[in-house]
Amino acid sequence: MTKPPEQPPVSPELEAMLARALRKAPTEPVPEPDAQETPEVAAPVDPAEQRCGYVAIVGKPNVGKSTLLNALVGHKISITSRKAQTTRHRITGMRTVGPTQFVFVDTPGFQTRHGNALNRSLNKTVLGAVSDVDLILFVVEAGHFNLADAKVLSLLPSNVPVILLANKFDLVHRRGDLAPWLRSMQERHPFAEFVPMSAKTPRDIQRLFAICEKYLPQQAWMYDPDELTDRSERFMASEMVREKLFRLTGDELPYTSTVIIDKFEEEGGLKRIAATIVVEREGHKGMVIGEKGEKLKRIGTEARMELEKLWGCKVFLELWVKVRSGWADDDARVRSFGYE
């Protein structure tokens, strides 16, 4: 019987990296980011002691980037769903902790399956996000690596430090297997750090702040310490509707559906919003509207409640559904719908 080939020994450097990472890796669950309390506003800090920098969050579609961003910011600013390719824009979220302001950039997952105009736009957004940052968080599922992960890794610049963030670490049952996996990952790229964690564990999030801090330059903060995102309220409204659209239609509706804000008005403590859900086929329109309009009504109700929670005010939301055949293959129409 042929003996299996022996694995090469783990180097002292990798052993130390693994030991450091596992020493403080708690696994307790926590509430979703939008259920957490608002983080305290940072106390005044001497500008000479301030740190500030950009941290890009990259990875394949549906690996947990948006969930991580929401946990880091402490509020829900990036939409999530089980459907792949949910995030389509560069979303910037800010969090100020002590003397350091972290400017996190969430990106779409790099698209490799289809070369249509929408996917070309999404990939351009990914490349733009990693070209001028101080640190990159490369998010993978702990213990896993496939061709989609490899494609994203190949795009990362060589002159920016990259942290290997092994998300969903709480789902790993045999943690002894991480040493050979980490060895193989370190052979693929000279990662600056290895961080196994769960984006739903608050102590993991606090530990990540401490790890990232030393990579950011000493310079004055770019934003007020209580700011959460640089995205407009119109943008947040369209994203929340799109999230509910994806969550409530499951895998039946193609990801090419999108949301356009037609009207956004403020009347005292009330925001009036009219939005159009754009689909590619008449059959898709029926999926969104549902029997007697119940699906569309539920999408609107859940999006409205999410926005009222985010903004702390009353929201009136009116939704329509229109068919625009082939829009995702049309560069001009993709741009007109707000994609880069």
Short mmCIF file of all heavy atoms in Angstrom, two decimals, residues 287-340:
data_model
loop_
_atom_site.label_atom_id
_atom_site.label_comp_id
_atom_site.label_asym_id
_atom_site.label_seq_id
_atom_site.Cartn_x
_atom_site.Cartn_y
_atom_site.Cartn_z
N MET A 287 -42.99 38.13 -11.54
CA MET A 287 -42.35 37.61 -10.32
C MET A 287 -42.25 38.68 -9.24
O MET A 287 -42.46 38.42 -8.05
CB MET A 287 -40.93 37.11 -10.63
CG MET A 287 -40.86 35.90 -11.51
SD MET A 287 -39.11 35.50 -11.83
CE MET A 287 -39.27 34.28 -13.13
N VAL A 288 -41.92 39.91 -9.67
CA VAL A 288 -41.73 41.00 -8.71
C VAL A 288 -43.07 41.46 -8.14
O VAL A 288 -43.19 41.72 -6.94
CB VAL A 288 -41.00 42.18 -9.38
CG1 VAL A 288 -40.92 43.37 -8.43
CG2 VAL A 288 -39.60 41.75 -9.82
N ILE A 289 -44.07 41.56 -9.00
CA ILE A 289 -45.38 42.05 -8.54
C ILE A 289 -46.07 41.00 -7.69
O ILE A 289 -46.66 41.32 -6.64
CB ILE A 289 -46.25 42.45 -9.74
CG1 ILE A 289 -45.61 43.64 -10.46
CG2 ILE A 289 -47.67 42.78 -9.29
CD1 ILE A 289 -46.32 44.05 -11.74
N GLY A 290 -46.01 39.73 -8.09
CA GLY A 290 -46.65 38.67 -7.33
C GLY A 290 -48.16 38.66 -7.50
O GLY A 290 -48.75 39.54 -8.13
N GLU A 291 -48.79 37.65 -6.91
CA GLU A 291 -50.23 37.52 -7.00
C GLU A 291 -50.94 38.68 -6.29
O GLU A 291 -50.68 38.94 -5.12
CB GLU A 291 -50.68 36.18 -6.38
CG GLU A 291 -52.15 35.88 -6.60
CD GLU A 291 -52.54 34.50 -6.08
OE1 GLU A 291 -51.63 33.75 -5.66
OE2 GLU A 291 -53.74 34.19 -6.10
N LYS A 292 -51.78 39.38 -7.04
CA LYS A 292 -52.53 40.54 -6.53
C LYS A 292 -51.61 41.62 -5.94
O LYS A 292 -52.01 42.39 -5.07
CB LYS A 292 -53.54 40.10 -5.46
CG LYS A 292 -54.61 39.15 -6.00
CD LYS A 292 -55.60 38.76 -4.91
CE LYS A 292 -56.67 37.83 -5.46
NZ LYS A 292 -57.64 37.41 -4.42
N GLY A 293 -50.37 41.66 -6.45
CA GLY A 293 -49.44 42.70 -6.01
C GLY A 293 -48.82 42.49 -4.65
O GLY A 293 -48.14 43.38 -4.13
N GLU A 294 -48.99 41.28 -4.07
CA GLU A 294 -48.53 41.06 -2.70
C GLU A 294 -47.01 41.09 -2.58
O GLU A 294 -46.47 41.59 -1.59
CB GLU A 294 -49.07 39.72 -2.18
CG GLU A 294 -50.56 39.74 -1.84
CD GLU A 294 -50.89 40.79 -0.78
OE1 GLU A 294 -50.17 40.86 0.24
OE2 GLU A 294 -51.85 41.55 -0.99
N LYS A 295 -46.29 40.53 -3.59
CA LYS A 295 -44.82 40.52 -3.49
C LYS A 295 -44.26 41.93 -3.55
O LYS A 295 -43.38 42.30 -2.75
CB LYS A 295 -44.25 39.66 -4.64
CG LYS A 295 -42.72 39.53 -4.65
CD LYS A 295 -42.21 38.76 -3.46
CE LYS A 295 -42.64 37.31 -3.47
NZ LYS A 295 -42.04 36.52 -4.54
N LEU A 296 -44.76 42.76 -4.46
CA LEU A 296 -44.29 44.14 -4.58
C LEU A 296 -44.60 44.93 -3.30
O LEU A 296 -43.79 45.72 -2.83
CB LEU A 296 -44.93 44.82 -5.78
CG LEU A 296 -44.45 46.24 -6.09
CD1 LEU A 296 -42.96 46.25 -6.41
CD2 LEU A 296 -45.24 46.83 -7.25
N LYS A 297 -45.78 44.68 -2.74
CA LYS A 297 -46.17 45.36 -1.50
C LYS A 297 -45.22 45.00 -0.36
O LYS A 297 -44.80 45.87 0.41
CB LYS A 297 -47.60 44.99 -1.13
CG LYS A 297 -48.11 45.68 0.14
CD LYS A 297 -49.55 45.27 0.43
CE LYS A 297 -50.04 45.95 1.73
NZ LYS A 297 -51.44 45.54 2.03
N ARG A 298 -44.85 43.72 -0.28
CA ARG A 298 -43.95 43.30 0.79
C ARG A 298 -42.55 43.88 0.59
O ARG A 298 -41.89 44.28 1.56
CB ARG A 298 -43.89 41.78 0.84
CG ARG A 298 -43.10 41.26 2.03
CD ARG A 298 -43.12 39.75 2.10
NE ARG A 298 -42.21 39.28 3.14
CZ ARG A 298 -41.81 38.03 3.28
NH1 ARG A 298 -42.28 37.10 2.44
NH2 ARG A 298 -40.96 37.68 4.23
N ILE A 299 -42.08 43.91 -0.66
CA ILE A 299 -40.78 44.53 -0.94
C ILE A 299 -40.78 45.98 -0.45
O ILE A 299 -39.84 46.43 0.21
CB ILE A 299 -40.46 44.47 -2.45
CG1 ILE A 299 -40.20 43.02 -2.88
CG2 ILE A 299 -39.25 45.35 -2.80
CD1 ILE A 299 -40.13 42.83 -4.39
N GLY A 300 -41.84 46.71 -0.79
CA GLY A 300 -41.93 48.11 -0.39
C GLY A 300 -42.01 48.28 1.11
O GLY A 300 -41.36 49.18 1.69
N THR A 301 -42.79 47.45 1.78
CA THR A 301 -42.96 47.57 3.22
C THR A 301 -41.64 47.31 3.95
O THR A 301 -41.24 48.07 4.85
CB THR A 301 -44.02 46.58 3.73
OG1 THR A 301 -45.28 46.91 3.12
CG2 THR A 301 -44.17 46.65 5.24
N GLU A 302 -40.95 46.24 3.58
CA GLU A 302 -39.70 45.90 4.26
C GLU A 302 -38.60 46.93 3.98
O GLU A 302 -37.81 47.26 4.86
CB GLU A 302 -39.24 44.50 3.89
CG GLU A 302 -40.20 43.42 4.39
CD GLU A 302 -39.60 42.03 4.34
OE1 GLU A 302 -38.38 41.89 4.13
OE2 GLU A 302 -40.38 41.05 4.52
N ALA A 303 -38.55 47.45 2.74
CA ALA A 303 -37.56 48.48 2.43
C ALA A 303 -37.86 49.76 3.20
O ALA A 303 -36.95 50.41 3.73
CB ALA A 303 -37.55 48.76 0.93
N ARG A 304 -39.14 50.13 3.27
CA ARG A 304 -39.52 51.33 4.02
C ARG A 304 -39.13 51.22 5.49
O ARG A 304 -38.58 52.17 6.08
CB ARG A 304 -41.03 51.56 3.89
CG ARG A 304 -41.54 52.73 4.74
CD ARG A 304 -43.05 52.87 4.65
NE ARG A 304 -43.75 51.65 5.04
CZ ARG A 304 -43.92 51.27 6.31
NH1 ARG A 304 -43.41 51.99 7.32
NH2 ARG A 304 -44.59 50.17 6.58
N MET A 305 -39.40 50.08 6.10
CA MET A 305 -39.06 49.89 7.52
C MET A 305 -37.55 49.97 7.73
O MET A 305 -37.09 50.55 8.73
CB MET A 305 -39.60 48.55 8.00
CG MET A 305 -41.12 48.48 8.03
SD MET A 305 -41.75 46.82 8.39
CE MET A 305 -41.12 46.57 10.06
N GLU A 306 -36.77 49.43 6.80
CA GLU A 306 -35.31 49.48 6.90
C GLU A 306 -34.82 50.92 6.81
O GLU A 306 -33.93 51.34 7.56
CB GLU A 306 -34.70 48.65 5.77
CG GLU A 306 -33.24 48.31 5.97
CD GLU A 306 -33.06 47.03 6.76
OE1 GLU A 306 -33.46 45.97 6.29
OE2 GLU A 306 -32.48 47.13 7.87
N LEU A 307 -35.40 51.70 5.90
CA LEU A 307 -34.98 53.09 5.74
C LEU A 307 -35.39 53.94 6.94
O LEU A 307 -34.64 54.83 7.35
CB LEU A 307 -35.58 53.65 4.44
CG LEU A 307 -35.01 53.06 3.15
CD1 LEU A 307 -35.83 53.48 1.95
CD2 LEU A 307 -33.55 53.46 2.96
N GLU A 308 -36.56 53.69 7.49
CA GLU A 308 -36.99 54.43 8.68
C GLU A 308 -36.05 54.16 9.85
O GLU A 308 -35.73 55.06 10.63
CB GLU A 308 -38.43 54.06 9.03
CG GLU A 308 -39.45 54.64 8.06
CD GLU A 308 -40.88 54.27 8.40
OE1 GLU A 308 -41.09 53.31 9.19
OE2 GLU A 308 -41.80 54.95 7.89
N LYS A 309 -35.57 52.92 9.95
CA LYS A 309 -34.62 52.57 11.01
C LYS A 309 -33.28 53.28 10.78
O LYS A 309 -32.64 53.77 11.72
CB LYS A 309 -34.42 51.06 11.04
CG LYS A 309 -33.53 50.56 12.17
CD LYS A 309 -33.20 49.08 11.99
CE LYS A 309 -34.45 48.23 11.97
NZ LYS A 309 -34.10 46.77 11.86
N LEU A 310 -32.85 53.34 9.51
CA LEU A 310 -31.56 53.95 9.18
C LEU A 310 -31.59 55.45 9.42
O LEU A 310 -30.63 56.02 9.96
CB LEU A 310 -31.23 53.65 7.72
CG LEU A 310 -29.94 54.28 7.15
CD1 LEU A 310 -28.71 53.68 7.83
CD2 LEU A 310 -29.86 54.07 5.64
N TRP A 311 -32.68 56.13 9.01
CA TRP A 311 -32.72 57.58 9.04
C TRP A 311 -33.43 58.15 10.28
O TRP A 311 -33.31 59.34 10.55
CB TRP A 311 -33.43 58.11 7.79
CG TRP A 311 -32.68 57.83 6.52
CD1 TRP A 311 -31.32 57.73 6.38
CD2 TRP A 311 -33.24 57.61 5.22
NE1 TRP A 311 -31.00 57.47 5.07
CE2 TRP A 311 -32.15 57.40 4.33
CE3 TRP A 311 -34.53 57.58 4.71
CZ2 TRP A 311 -32.33 57.15 2.98
CZ3 TRP A 311 -34.71 57.34 3.36
CH2 TRP A 311 -33.62 57.12 2.51
N GLY A 312 -34.18 57.33 10.99
CA GLY A 312 -34.89 57.82 12.18
C GLY A 312 -36.02 58.77 11.84
O GLY A 312 -36.26 59.73 12.57
N CYS A 313 -36.73 58.53 10.73
CA CYS A 313 -37.85 59.39 10.35
C CYS A 313 -38.87 58.57 9.57
O CYS A 313 -38.62 57.41 9.22
CB CYS A 313 -37.37 60.58 9.50
SG CYS A 313 -36.78 60.10 7.86
N LYS A 314 -40.03 59.15 9.31
CA LYS A 314 -41.06 58.48 8.53
C LYS A 314 -40.71 58.50 7.05
O LYS A 314 -40.17 59.50 6.53
CB LYS A 314 -42.42 59.16 8.75
CG LYS A 314 -43.05 58.84 10.09
CD LYS A 314 -43.48 57.40 10.14
CE LYS A 314 -44.21 57.07 11.44
NZ LYS A 314 -44.59 55.64 11.50
N VAL A 315 -41.03 57.42 6.35
CA VAL A 315 -40.75 57.30 4.92
C VAL A 315 -42.01 56.85 4.19
O VAL A 315 -42.69 55.92 4.63
CB VAL A 315 -39.61 56.28 4.66
CG1 VAL A 315 -39.43 56.05 3.16
CG2 VAL A 315 -38.31 56.76 5.29
N PHE A 316 -42.34 57.54 3.10
CA PHE A 316 -43.40 57.10 2.18
C PHE A 316 -42.72 56.60 0.93
O PHE A 316 -42.00 57.35 0.26
CB PHE A 316 -44.36 58.24 1.86
CG PHE A 316 -45.42 57.87 0.87
CD1 PHE A 316 -46.56 57.18 1.27
CD2 PHE A 316 -45.28 58.19 -0.47
CE1 PHE A 316 -47.54 56.81 0.35
CE2 PHE A 316 -46.25 57.84 -1.40
CZ PHE A 316 -47.38 57.14 -0.98
N LEU A 317 -42.90 55.32 0.60
CA LEU A 317 -42.20 54.70 -0.51
C LEU A 317 -43.20 54.13 -1.52
O LEU A 317 -44.06 53.32 -1.17
CB LEU A 317 -41.29 53.58 0.00
CG LEU A 317 -40.53 52.75 -1.05
CD1 LEU A 317 -39.59 53.64 -1.86
CD2 LEU A 317 -39.75 51.63 -0.38
N GLU A 318 -43.09 54.57 -2.77
CA GLU A 318 -43.95 54.11 -3.85
C GLU A 318 -43.09 53.38 -4.88
O GLU A 318 -42.07 53.92 -5.33
CB GLU A 318 -44.65 55.31 -4.49
CG GLU A 318 -45.72 54.95 -5.51
CD GLU A 318 -46.42 56.20 -6.04
OE1 GLU A 318 -45.81 57.29 -5.99
OE2 GLU A 318 -47.56 56.06 -6.51
N LEU A 319 -43.50 52.16 -5.26
CA LEU A 319 -42.71 51.35 -6.18
C LEU A 319 -43.47 51.04 -7.47
O LEU A 319 -44.69 50.80 -7.44
CB LEU A 319 -42.32 50.02 -5.52
CG LEU A 319 -41.40 50.07 -4.30
CD1 LEU A 319 -41.10 48.67 -3.80
CD2 LEU A 319 -40.10 50.81 -4.62
N TRP A 320 -42.73 51.04 -8.58
CA TRP A 320 -43.25 50.65 -9.88
C TRP A 320 -42.32 49.60 -10.47
O TRP A 320 -41.15 49.49 -10.07
CB TRP A 320 -43.35 51.85 -10.83
CG TRP A 320 -44.14 52.99 -10.27
CD1 TRP A 320 -43.68 54.02 -9.51
CD2 TRP A 320 -45.55 53.19 -10.40
NE1 TRP A 320 -44.70 54.86 -9.16
CE2 TRP A 320 -45.87 54.38 -9.69
CE3 TRP A 320 -46.57 52.50 -11.05
CZ2 TRP A 320 -47.15 54.87 -9.62
CZ3 TRP A 320 -47.86 53.00 -10.98
CH2 TRP A 320 -48.15 54.17 -10.27
N VAL A 321 -42.80 48.84 -11.45
CA VAL A 321 -41.97 47.85 -12.13
C VAL A 321 -42.05 48.08 -13.63
O VAL A 321 -43.15 48.21 -14.18
CB VAL A 321 -42.43 46.40 -11.81
CG1 VAL A 321 -41.46 45.40 -12.43
CG2 VAL A 321 -42.54 46.18 -10.30
N LYS A 322 -40.88 48.16 -14.30
CA LYS A 322 -40.83 48.36 -15.74
C LYS A 322 -39.88 47.36 -16.39
O LYS A 322 -38.91 46.92 -15.77
CB LYS A 322 -40.37 49.79 -16.08
CG LYS A 322 -41.36 50.87 -15.66
CD LYS A 322 -40.86 52.24 -16.07
CE LYS A 322 -41.86 53.34 -15.65
NZ LYS A 322 -41.37 54.70 -16.03
N VAL A 323 -40.17 47.02 -17.64
CA VAL A 323 -39.32 46.10 -18.41
C VAL A 323 -38.42 46.91 -19.34
O VAL A 323 -38.90 47.75 -20.10
CB VAL A 323 -40.19 45.12 -19.23
CG1 VAL A 323 -39.30 44.19 -20.05
CG2 VAL A 323 -41.10 44.31 -18.31
N ARG A 324 -37.12 46.65 -19.27
CA ARG A 324 -36.14 47.25 -20.18
C ARG A 324 -35.28 46.11 -20.72
O ARG A 324 -34.27 45.74 -20.14
CB ARG A 324 -35.27 48.30 -19.46
CG ARG A 324 -36.04 49.54 -19.01
CD ARG A 324 -36.48 50.38 -20.19
NE ARG A 324 -37.18 51.58 -19.79
CZ ARG A 324 -38.50 51.68 -19.64
NH1 ARG A 324 -39.26 50.60 -19.87
NH2 ARG A 324 -39.07 52.81 -19.28
N SER A 325 -35.71 45.54 -21.83
CA SER A 325 -35.08 44.34 -22.37
C SER A 325 -33.60 44.58 -22.70
O SER A 325 -33.25 45.56 -23.37
CB SER A 325 -35.83 43.89 -23.62
OG SER A 325 -35.24 42.74 -24.17
N GLY A 326 -32.74 43.67 -22.21
CA GLY A 326 -31.32 43.70 -22.54
C GLY A 326 -30.53 44.85 -21.96
O GLY A 326 -29.42 45.13 -22.43
N TRP A 327 -31.01 45.50 -20.91
CA TRP A 327 -30.30 46.68 -20.40
C TRP A 327 -28.91 46.33 -19.87
O TRP A 327 -27.97 47.13 -20.00
CB TRP A 327 -31.12 47.37 -19.31
CG TRP A 327 -31.10 46.68 -17.96
CD1 TRP A 327 -32.01 45.79 -17.49
CD2 TRP A 327 -30.14 46.85 -16.92
NE1 TRP A 327 -31.68 45.37 -16.22
CE2 TRP A 327 -30.52 46.01 -15.85
CE3 TRP A 327 -28.98 47.61 -16.78
CZ2 TRP A 327 -29.80 45.92 -14.66
CZ3 TRP A 327 -28.24 47.52 -15.59
CH2 TRP A 327 -28.67 46.69 -14.55
N ALA A 328 -28.72 45.14 -19.32
CA ALA A 328 -27.42 44.78 -18.74
C ALA A 328 -26.35 44.56 -19.79
O ALA A 328 -25.16 44.51 -19.47
CB ALA A 328 -27.57 43.53 -17.87
N ASP A 329 -26.74 44.43 -21.07
CA ASP A 329 -25.78 44.26 -22.17
C ASP A 329 -25.52 45.57 -22.92
O ASP A 329 -24.78 45.59 -23.90
CB ASP A 329 -26.29 43.22 -23.17
CG ASP A 329 -26.18 41.81 -22.61
OD1 ASP A 329 -25.12 41.46 -22.10
OD2 ASP A 329 -27.18 41.07 -22.69
N ASP A 330 -26.15 46.65 -22.45
CA ASP A 330 -26.08 47.94 -23.14
C ASP A 330 -25.22 48.90 -22.31
O ASP A 330 -25.64 49.35 -21.23
CB ASP A 330 -27.50 48.49 -23.31
CG ASP A 330 -27.55 49.79 -24.12
OD1 ASP A 330 -26.56 50.53 -24.11
OD2 ASP A 330 -28.59 50.05 -24.73
N ASP A 331 -24.01 49.22 -22.78
CA ASP A 331 -23.09 50.06 -22.01
C ASP A 331 -23.71 51.41 -21.66
O ASP A 331 -23.57 51.88 -20.53
CB ASP A 331 -21.79 50.30 -22.80
CG ASP A 331 -20.89 49.07 -22.81
OD1 ASP A 331 -20.34 48.75 -21.75
OD2 ASP A 331 -20.77 48.44 -23.87
N ALA A 332 -24.38 52.04 -22.62
CA ALA A 332 -24.97 53.36 -22.37
C ALA A 332 -26.06 53.28 -21.31
O ALA A 332 -26.13 54.14 -20.42
CB ALA A 332 -25.54 53.93 -23.67
N ARG A 333 -26.89 52.26 -21.38
CA ARG A 333 -27.97 52.16 -20.40
C ARG A 333 -27.43 51.79 -19.02
O ARG A 333 -27.93 52.27 -18.01
CB ARG A 333 -29.00 51.12 -20.86
CG ARG A 333 -30.22 51.04 -19.96
CD ARG A 333 -31.39 50.40 -20.68
NE ARG A 333 -32.08 51.36 -21.53
CZ ARG A 333 -33.11 51.04 -22.31
NH1 ARG A 333 -33.54 49.80 -22.37
NH2 ARG A 333 -33.70 51.96 -23.04
N VAL A 334 -26.40 50.96 -18.98
CA VAL A 334 -25.76 50.63 -17.70
C VAL A 334 -25.26 51.90 -17.02
O VAL A 334 -25.44 52.13 -15.82
CB VAL A 334 -24.60 49.62 -17.91
CG1 VAL A 334 -23.70 49.54 -16.67
CG2 VAL A 334 -25.17 48.23 -18.22
N ARG A 335 -24.61 52.78 -17.82
CA ARG A 335 -24.12 54.06 -17.26
C ARG A 335 -25.29 54.95 -16.83
O ARG A 335 -25.23 55.60 -15.79
CB ARG A 335 -23.24 54.79 -18.27
CG ARG A 335 -21.86 54.16 -18.47
CD ARG A 335 -20.93 55.09 -19.25
NE ARG A 335 -21.45 55.36 -20.59
CZ ARG A 335 -21.18 54.60 -21.65
NH1 ARG A 335 -20.42 53.52 -21.52
NH2 ARG A 335 -21.67 54.90 -22.82
N SER A 336 -26.36 54.97 -17.61
CA SER A 336 -27.49 55.83 -17.28
C SER A 336 -28.19 55.37 -16.00
O SER A 336 -28.84 56.16 -15.32
CB SER A 336 -28.51 55.83 -18.44
OG SER A 336 -29.22 54.62 -18.51
N PHE A 337 -28.03 54.10 -15.63
CA PHE A 337 -28.61 53.58 -14.41
C PHE A 337 -27.68 53.75 -13.21
O PHE A 337 -27.96 53.23 -12.14
CB PHE A 337 -28.96 52.08 -14.58
CG PHE A 337 -30.20 51.85 -15.42
CD1 PHE A 337 -30.55 50.57 -15.81
CD2 PHE A 337 -31.01 52.91 -15.83
CE1 PHE A 337 -31.69 50.32 -16.59
CE2 PHE A 337 -32.15 52.68 -16.61
CZ PHE A 337 -32.48 51.39 -16.99
N GLY A 338 -26.59 54.48 -13.39
CA GLY A 338 -25.76 54.85 -12.25
C GLY A 338 -24.54 54.00 -12.02
O GLY A 338 -23.86 54.16 -11.01
N TYR A 339 -24.19 53.10 -12.95
CA TYR A 339 -23.01 52.27 -12.78
C TYR A 339 -21.84 52.95 -13.46
O TYR A 339 -21.98 53.64 -14.46
CB TYR A 339 -23.25 50.88 -13.38
CG TYR A 339 -24.35 50.13 -12.66
CD1 TYR A 339 -25.66 50.13 -13.15
CD2 TYR A 339 -24.09 49.47 -11.46
CE1 TYR A 339 -26.66 49.47 -12.47
CE2 TYR A 339 -25.11 48.81 -10.78
CZ TYR A 339 -26.40 48.81 -11.30
OH TYR A 339 -27.39 48.17 -10.61
N GLU A 340 -20.64 52.72 -12.91
CA GLU A 340 -19.45 53.43 -13.40
C GLU A 340 -19.02 52.92 -14.77
O GLU A 340 -19.22 51.77 -15.09
CB GLU A 340 -18.31 53.25 -12.39
CG GLU A 340 -18.61 53.87 -11.03
CD GLU A 340 -17.52 53.63 -10.02
OE1 GLU A 340 -16.49 53.00 -10.38
OE2 GLU A 340 -17.67 54.03 -8.87
#
